[in-house]
């Protein structure tokens, strides 16, 4: 079930309504639905005999993988929209640049 308002919002944000961008937005919307579903499932399985022993469930692994893909897609959308976080200089990079300029 695709949220058309959300789709229009993302496409408007990028300023690009090409077929490729629409496919990317559709994938993002699908992943948002999947992430919501995975969050509703148990994430940890606890051993009844040894409660200190815990394992991630398959749902937790799927959530992690999907979240990584989702994050990458959001970065692409952000870059197309002109919001590129990688362009900003971190305080560490600024300090390193100043230090190297003195040498």
């Amino acid at each position: 079930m695709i949220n058309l308002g959300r789709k229009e919002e993302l496409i408007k944000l990028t300023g690009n309504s090409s077929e490729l961008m629409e496919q990317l937005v559709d994938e993002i919307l699908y992943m948002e639905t999947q992430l919501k579903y995975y969050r509703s499932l148990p994430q940890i399985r606890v051993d009844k005999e040894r409660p200190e022993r815990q394992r991630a469930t398959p749902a937790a692994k799927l959530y992690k993988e999907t979240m990584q893909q989702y994050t990458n897609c959001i970065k692409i959308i952000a870059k197309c929209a002109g919001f590129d976080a990688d362009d900003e200089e971190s305080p560490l990079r600024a300090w390193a640049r100043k230090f190297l300029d003195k040498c």
Side-chain angles (χ1 to χ4, degrees):
M1 182 158 75
I2 292 179
N3 182 346
L4 292 178
R6 176 80 170 137
K7 181 176 181 174
E8 291 172 359
E9 176 186 349
L10 289 172
I11 290 175
K12 183 179 177 184
L13 182 67
T14 64
N16 182 351
S17 62
S18 69
E19 185 178 331
L20 186 61
M21 187 57 65
E22 286 195 31
Q23 288 176 354
L24 179 62
V25 168
D26 286 341
E27 289 300 317
I28 288 172
L29 295 174
Y30 173 75
M31 286 186 274
E32 286 177 350
T33 304
Q34 289 302 111
L35 288 168
K36 185 176 180 180
Y37 173 68
Y38 296 150
R39 278 193 304 263
S40 70
L41 299 173
Q43 301 292 308
I44 296 174
R45 183 177 302 132
V46 179
D47 189 337
K48 293 178 184 176
E49 295 176 12
R50 295 177 55 196
E52 68 278 0
R53 206 170 149 196
Q54 302 173 0
R55 289 186 175 214
T57 64
K61 293 175 184 177
L62 285 170
Y63 181 84
K64 178 184 174 189
E65 291 170 7
T66 305
M67 181 57 90
Q68 290 171 338
Q69 294 170 346
Y70 178 78
T71 302
N72 291 336
C73 290
I74 291 297
K75 285 181 181 180
I76 293 169
I77 291 282
K79 192 166 190 165
C80 290
F83 305 113
D84 192 4
D86 293 335
D87 286 345
E88 295 180 21
E89 189 172 47
S90 71
L92 178 60
R93 285 184 182 164
W95 175 84
R97 185 177 40 76
K98 288 178 184 176
F99 178 76
L100 291 173
D101 288 344
K102 289 180 182 178
C103 293

